[in-house]
């Protein structure tokens, strides 16, 4: 068996209203396309990135630093897509 | 059955006494009632299937909403519904709900409500206000699911078939008035103050009620056992056995005190040294006359006629007024019935829609009460005609509310004279010598009491508004409840001024308003010279006991001491201690 790949990347929330329901649902929808385990960490709180309710509870307001962690075959690809979401600022103006 | 480790204790303002325990009917955030909390083990798989079907239907609705929103409003609005879709399709959420149905035999309605409200509560604790407000999205989803699940079974407040206690964000006065007393045994609301109309109505319905609790509905799904303690202002959700026992005891004890007090009924309201004190009842509905007669009231000191206007969506006719007044006066053949003319804001009177644009946000200081009547003469004259006509059947008296200047009083009296002239011309029977009184509830009227006393036949001090206007504290706002205080020295002095003015002109003075229903204020009021009170009917027996337990000398000493104190807090404490000496078992 090959060692599953582990990826970790830090992002900063740049949304005026924080990571609210709409961006959380975009993250969850994107995450569910991948088979790897995906987590987002804010300090002591860890959320399953495929779960909207979990993500909301990160309570990530504007400026919060989050760590995205992925473990599994498509980890690198998944992280890349999530970073792209943050980079586009979730299509908010 | 569900375990009770989740007992929740909430505190609010006690507005109607008594203790009751019953299953909760939750109104407000949602209008749905969960009829059934548990299902039988055999039904579990069909109930899960029912839940999944409802979920599919909700998802179809959301998708439709999303398309419409994207087309008509733009993508960012459509995205909100896309988020709702993700949320309700969340595998973890669905699993949680289905587990409750499978393992605990929760009904799908109860399980969905429980789980969504649990998350809503967690959202409410999130780091920013904006995130916390997302709880609303969860309530929205809950509403959608319940609507699907309950379908035709949606139950309305007016179609109850078994006893409940109602928990609501707010109840409007008309909702409160229409509560079915057979099944609604108590209620508790998140907003409201001691003297809001809803609170006054709860007293009239004689069901235990607590208001101004603050946010608590998110912790209740409906169907839970809830205790409402209308004496202490407590609401206990899912009480444990020990608490339930305590409440059963309290209920029994209250019952025995009430029985003893009722036995005072045939006795006269007089002090130990034979000073006669008249105790009248305050009523809202004609039916309530019974509450007064069965407790030995000396008459009706305040008949609030507002509910004639609130009950229907149309202006009451002269006959509507007349038959209500006649019903009240027939119950009191020889005793006085004081009818107060309309005391509402322009926003509440259907016929005054033309004025409701003028009604500013702060209706308390706006066009309401006698001011509205004087602006809307047709409405005013209809009521005056009915009062005058009913006057031939008994001792009816008329009272104008919210008088703030002599000019206003004179205008009102002039219109009354016009109406009399009309009736005379038409040959309709009416009471020509009807006594005319006014409420003293605006500080300007209290300051000018000596002048007013020469132009009316009686005063009635409306403490609820007088306190609100004197201390500039909104009576329905829990945030300023500490400031709104009947024991404030300024209020005691104001009342004394009015009583003195009445004595000087030899006209009777009554105190109506919540203050006079509170037994601890009674010795003080008698001590400063009052001989008439008008109170919530259920307070009559306790007040009678106080009257019959003191002497005038004692009352005067208590009043003198109270008037020498600087702070409302000290006045309250003093009066409470004195009452404890006079009638210990009236201290709740």
């Amino acid at each position: 068996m090959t060692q599953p790949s582990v990826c970790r990347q830090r992002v900063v929330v740049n949304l005026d209203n924080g990571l609210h329901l709409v961006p959380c649902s975009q993250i969850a929808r994107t995450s569910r396309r991948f088979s790897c385990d995906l987590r987002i960490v804010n300090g002591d709180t860890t959320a399953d990135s495929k779960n909207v309710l979990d993500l909301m509870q990160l309570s990530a307001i504007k400026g919060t630093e989050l760590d995205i962690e992925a473990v599994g075959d498509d980890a690198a690809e998944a992280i890349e897509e999530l970073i792209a979401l943050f980079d586009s600022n979730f299509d908010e103006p | 059955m569900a375990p009770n480790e989740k007992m929740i204790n909430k505190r609010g303002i006690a507005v109607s006494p008594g203790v009751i325990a019953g299953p909760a009917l939750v109104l407000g955030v949602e209008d749905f009632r969960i009829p059934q909390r548990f299902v039988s083990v055999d039904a579990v798989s069909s109930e899960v299937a029912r839940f999944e079907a409802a979920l599919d239907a909700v998802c179809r609705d959301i998708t439709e909403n999303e398309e419409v929103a994207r087309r008509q409003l733009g993508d960012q609005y459509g995205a909100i519904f896309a988020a709702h879709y993700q949320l309700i399709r969340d595998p973890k959420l669905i699993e949680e709900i289905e587990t409750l149905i499978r393992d605990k035999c929760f009904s799908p309605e109860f399980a969905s409500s429980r789980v969504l409200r649990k998350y809503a509560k967690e959202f409410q604790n999130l780091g920013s206000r904006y995130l916390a407000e997302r709880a609303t999205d969860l309530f929205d989803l809950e509403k959608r699911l319940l609507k699907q699940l309950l379908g035709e079974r949606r139950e309305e407040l007016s179609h109850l078939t078994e006893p409940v206690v109602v928990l609501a964000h707010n109840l409007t006065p008309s909702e409160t008035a229409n509560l079915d007393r057979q099944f609604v045994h108590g209620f508790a609301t998140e907003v409201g103050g001691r003297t809001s109309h809803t609170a006054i109505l709860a007293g009239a319905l004689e069901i235990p009620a607590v208001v101004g609790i603050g946010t608590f509905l998110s912790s209740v799904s409906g169907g839970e056992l809830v205790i409402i303690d209308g004496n202490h202002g407590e609401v206990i959700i899912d009480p444990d056995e020990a608490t339930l026992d305590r409440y059963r005891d309290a209920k029994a004890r209250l019952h025995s005190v009430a029985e003893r007090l009722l036995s005072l009924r045939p006795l006269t309201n007089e002090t130990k040294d034979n000073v006669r004190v008249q105790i009248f009842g305050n009523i809202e509905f004609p039916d309530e006359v019974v509450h007064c007669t069965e407790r030995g009231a000396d008459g009706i000191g305040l008949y609030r006629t507002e509910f004639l206007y609130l009950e229907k969506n149309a202006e009451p006719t002269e006959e509507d007024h007349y038959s209500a007044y006649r019903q009240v006066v027939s119950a009191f053949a020889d005793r006085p019935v004081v009818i107060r003319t309309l005391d509402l804001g322009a926003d509440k009177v259907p016929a005054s829609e033309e004025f409701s644009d003028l009604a500013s946000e702060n209706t308390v200081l706006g066009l309401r009460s006698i001011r509205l009547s004087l602006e809307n003469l047709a409405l005013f004259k209809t009521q005056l005609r009915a009062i005058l006509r009913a006057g031939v059947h008994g001792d009816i008296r008329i009272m104008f509310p919210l008088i703030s200047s002599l000019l206003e009083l004179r205008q009102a009296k002039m219109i009354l004279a016009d109406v009399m002239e009309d009736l005379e011309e038409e040959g309709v029977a009416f009471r020509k010598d009807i006594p005319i009184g006014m409420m003293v509830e605006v500080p300007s009227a209290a300051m000018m009491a000596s002048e007013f006393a020469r132009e009316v036949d009686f005063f009635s001090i409306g403490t609820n508004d007088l306190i609100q206007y004197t201390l500039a504290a909104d009576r329905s706002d829990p945030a300023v409840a500490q400031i709104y205080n009947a024991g404030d020295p300024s209020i005691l002095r104001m009342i004394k001024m009015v009583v003195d003015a009445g004595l000087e002109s030899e006209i009777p003075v009554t105190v109506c308003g919540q203050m006079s229903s509170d037994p601890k204020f009674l010795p003080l009021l008698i001590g400063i010279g009052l001989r008439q009170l008008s109170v919530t009917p259920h307070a009559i027996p306790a007040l009678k006991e106080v009257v019959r337990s003191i002497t005038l000398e004692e009352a005067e000493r208590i009043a003198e001491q109270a008037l020498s104190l600087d702070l409302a807090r000290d006045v309250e404490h003093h009066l409470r201690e004195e009452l404890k000496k006079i009638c210990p078992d009236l201290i709740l």
Side-chain angles (χ1 to χ4, degrees):
Chain A
M1 268 230 5
T2 51
Q3 189 78 1
S5 66
V6 180
C7 294
R8 185 176 285 111
Q9 184 88 36
R10 174 159 290 197
V11 288
V12 177
V13 177
N14 193 31
L15 296 155
D16 286 341
N17 287 318
L19 208 58
H20 61 90
L21 203 52
V22 172
C24 284
S25 72
Q26 288 173 268
I27 294 173
R29 195 166 44 209
T30 305
S31 302
R32 282 184 210 149
R33 299 210 320 263
F34 299 94
S35 65
C36 60
D37 281 337
L38 271 165
R39 285 185 299 272
I40 300 188
V41 183
N42 176 17
D44 295 337
T45 315
T46 302
D48 176 350
S49 170
K50 296 176 183 179
N51 185 306
V52 188
L53 291 164
D54 248 29
L55 290 168
M56 278 294 289
Q57 288 178 63
L58 289 172
S59 196
I61 56 171
K62 189 175 184 174
T64 306
E65 291 187 344
L66 300 173
D67 290 315
I68 307 177
E69 295 174 359
V71 182
D73 290 342
D74 46 9
E77 207 185 325
I79 291 238
E80 205 174 300
E81 290 244 2
L82 290 181
I83 297 291
L85 269 179
F86 277 90
D87 284 347
S88 72
N89 212 20
F90 300 88
D91 294 329
E92 281 197 9
Chain B
M1 284 301 289
N4 285 339
E5 78 269 13
K6 282 190 177 162
M7 178 164 101
I8 302 172
N9 220 317
K10 291 280 169 189
R11 231 164 220 298
I13 305 167
V15 293
S16 182
V19 178
I20 188 74
L25 163 57
V26 181
L27 302 170
V29 179
E30 41 94 347
D31 296 314
F32 296 98
R33 176 178 183 213
I34 296 175
Q36 203 185 354
R37 296 172 71 191
F38 300 98
V39 296
S40 74
V41 181
D42 306 336
V44 160
S45 44
S46 67
E47 290 295 308
V48 170
R50 193 161 73 83
F51 169 69
E52 286 176 349
L55 194 62
D56 287 342
V58 168
C59 288
R60 278 196 301 275
D61 275 358
I62 295 177
T63 310
E64 252 173 56
N65 291 157
E66 183 189 343
E67 282 161 15
V68 172
R70 277 194 202 284
R71 214 169 39 235
Q72 298 184 348
L73 303 167
D75 280 346
Q76 69 269 42
Y77 296 96
I80 296 169
F81 292 103
H84 281 192
Y85 187 91
Q86 289 295 320
L87 203 55
I88 202 75
R89 276 283 174 215
D90 193 299
K92 192 174 150 193
L93 182 81
I94 295 172
E95 194 189 303
E96 250 180 276
I97 296 173
E98 294 193 349
T99 304
L100 285 179
I101 304 173
R102 278 204 185 89
D103 298 355
K104 297 203 161 174
C105 295
F106 277 21
S107 68
E109 292 89 348
F110 187 44
S112 311
S113 178
R114 256 290 150 100
V115 171
L116 283 165
R117 280 175 182 230
K118 184 190 84 180
Y119 282 111
K121 207 171 172 183
E122 285 172 10
F123 278 19
Q124 282 167 346
N125 293 327
L126 291 178
S128 82
R129 192 173 177 146
Y130 188 84
L131 293 178
E133 280 170 2
R134 294 313 100 210
T136 319
D137 295 288
L138 291 179
F139 287 129
D140 190 41
L141 289 174
E142 183 203 16
K143 211 181 226 176
R144 282 177 184 269
L145 262 176
L146 288 179
K147 197 171 172 182
Q148 280 301 331
L149 285 167
L150 291 169
E152 294 299 309
R153 288 196 282 154
R154 175 176 174 174
E155 285 180 65
E156 303 268 352
L157 197 49
S158 48
H159 296 121
L160 295 171
T161 52
E162 55 187 82
V164 292
V165 298
V166 171
L167 308 180
H169 174 65
N170 192 13
L171 285 174
T172 63
S174 57
E175 276 170 338
T176 313
N178 290 319
L179 289 179
D180 183 346
R181 251 186 291 178
Q182 194 189 344
F183 297 121
V184 178
H185 289 184
F187 74 79
T189 60
E190 293 189 327
V191 299
R194 193 180 301 282
T195 55
S196 57
H197 277 124
T198 304
I200 290 171
L201 278 166
L205 294 170
E206 309 210 329
I207 56 177
V210 177
V211 303
I213 295 165
T215 314
F216 78 104
L217 289 180
S218 54
S219 13
V220 198
S221 305
E224 292 96 331
L225 184 66
V226 172
I227 294 173
I228 294 182
D229 179 346
N231 299 319
H232 298 95
E234 266 186 287
V235 175
I236 301 165
I237 300 152
D238 277 334
D240 55 28
E241 266 313 305
T243 312
L244 263 177
D245 278 348
R246 229 168 353 96
Y247 273 84
R248 284 187 197 113
D249 288 352
K251 204 176 166 188
R253 195 164 43 81
L254 283 171
H255 189 70
S256 77
V257 173
E259 292 274 286
R260 184 172 59 71
L261 291 178
L262 267 183
S263 69
L264 299 175
R265 179 178 176 246
L267 305 174
T268 317
N269 288 318
E270 57 182 20
T271 61
K272 285 204 277 192
D273 46 352
N274 307 107
V275 176
R276 180 82 164 92
V277 176
Q278 287 181 296
I279 304 182
F280 304 109
N282 293 342
I283 62 166
E284 280 78 33
F285 310 107
D287 310 346
E288 279 182 276
V289 182
V290 188
H291 296 159
C292 300
T293 48
E294 73 192 9
R295 290 176 173 116
D298 288 304
I300 301 295
L302 173 62
Y303 175 15
R304 303 181 171 102
T305 56
E306 288 72 72
F307 295 99
L308 285 167
Y309 297 85
L310 292 174
E311 270 171 343
K312 303 181 192 172
N313 268 329
E315 192 195 332
T317 63
E318 185 177 324
E319 286 313 305
D320 292 337
H321 283 288
Y322 176 75
S323 65
Y325 303 158
R326 183 144 187 208
Q327 188 186 340
V328 175
V329 79
S330 336
F332 280 106
D334 51 344
R335 284 171 278 181
V337 172
V338 177
I339 299 181
R340 178 177 71 183
T341 64
L342 175 70
D343 185 27
L344 277 181
D347 53 331
K348 298 223 178 65
V349 183
S352 71
E353 260 164 23
E354 54 188 300
F355 296 107
S356 55
D357 299 341
L358 304 174
S360 55
E361 277 179 27
N362 196 348
T363 51
V364 166
L365 299 178
L367 182 68
R368 54 174 283 238
S369 196
I370 193 70
R371 302 167 184 180
L372 180 65
S373 295
L374 292 173
E375 288 288 324
N376 197 340
L377 289 184
L379 179 108
F380 192 33
K381 285 184 169 178
T382 303
Q383 184 172 31
L384 294 178
R385 282 175 69 97
I387 298 172
L388 286 166
R389 284 175 51 206
V392 299
H393 303 292
D395 187 2
I396 282 191
R397 303 170 185 192
I398 190 166
M399 177 158 77
F400 300 123
L402 205 79
I403 296 288
S404 59
S405 72
L406 281 158
L407 184 67
E408 228 167 27
L409 174 67
R410 287 174 191 163
Q411 281 177 331
K413 285 175 71 175
M414 211 164 69
I415 288 152
L416 184 67
D418 282 352
V419 173
M420 286 185 178
E421 217 169 277
D422 292 346
L423 289 171
E424 187 86 63
E425 276 171 23
E426 293 165 32
V428 178
F430 70 97
R431 180 171 178 188
K432 296 187 175 65
D433 61 345
I434 195 162
I436 301 165
M438 62 178 267
M439 298 278 293
V440 180
E441 53 187 338
V442 182
S444 62
M447 303 299 293
M448 297 287 286
S450 298
E451 284 73 15
F452 278 109
R454 289 183 215 122
E455 304 195 16
V456 290
D457 301 310
F458 62 94
F459 280 152
S460 187
I461 307 176
T463 50
N464 296 357
D465 272 337
L466 188 64
I467 297 167
Q468 149 164 297
Y469 294 134
T470 304
L471 295 166
D474 184 343
R475 68 195 218 191
S476 59
D477 185 352
V480 292
Q482 291 300 317
I483 300 172
Y484 180 98
N485 193 323
D488 197 275
S490 62
I491 304 300
L492 306 191
R493 281 166 175 69
M494 197 92 76
I495 292 172
K496 189 165 188 311
M497 260 171 75
V498 180
V499 173
D500 289 346
L503 288 171
E504 186 189 289
S505 293
E506 297 181 336
I507 63 165
V509 182
T510 310
V511 172
C512 56
Q514 297 303 103
M515 179 185 189
S516 56
S517 301
D518 184 340
K520 72 171 175 287
F521 286 109
L522 186 57
L524 162 79
L525 295 174
I526 295 174
I528 60 177
L530 267 158
R531 297 292 177 265
Q532 293 186 347
L533 304 166
S534 192
V535 306
T536 322
H538 66 70
I540 294 173
L543 294 169
K544 195 167 199 173
E545 166 136 299
V546 179
V547 170
R548 296 183 55 85
S549 308
I550 52 168
T551 62
L552 183 58
E553 201 183 322
E554 276 173 327
E556 283 173 347
R557 176 188 56 78
I558 292 170
E560 197 178 322
Q561 274 177 349
L563 283 165
S564 72
L565 299 168
D566 298 335
L567 301 177
R569 188 184 67 202
D570 298 342
V571 172
E572 289 244 352
H573 179 75
H574 162 62
L575 296 178
R576 210 178 153 78
E577 287 304 307
E578 292 292 341
L579 181 65
K580 215 184 265 176
K581 287 183 226 158
I582 304 163
C583 299
D585 61 359
L586 291 185
I587 301 277
L588 294 167

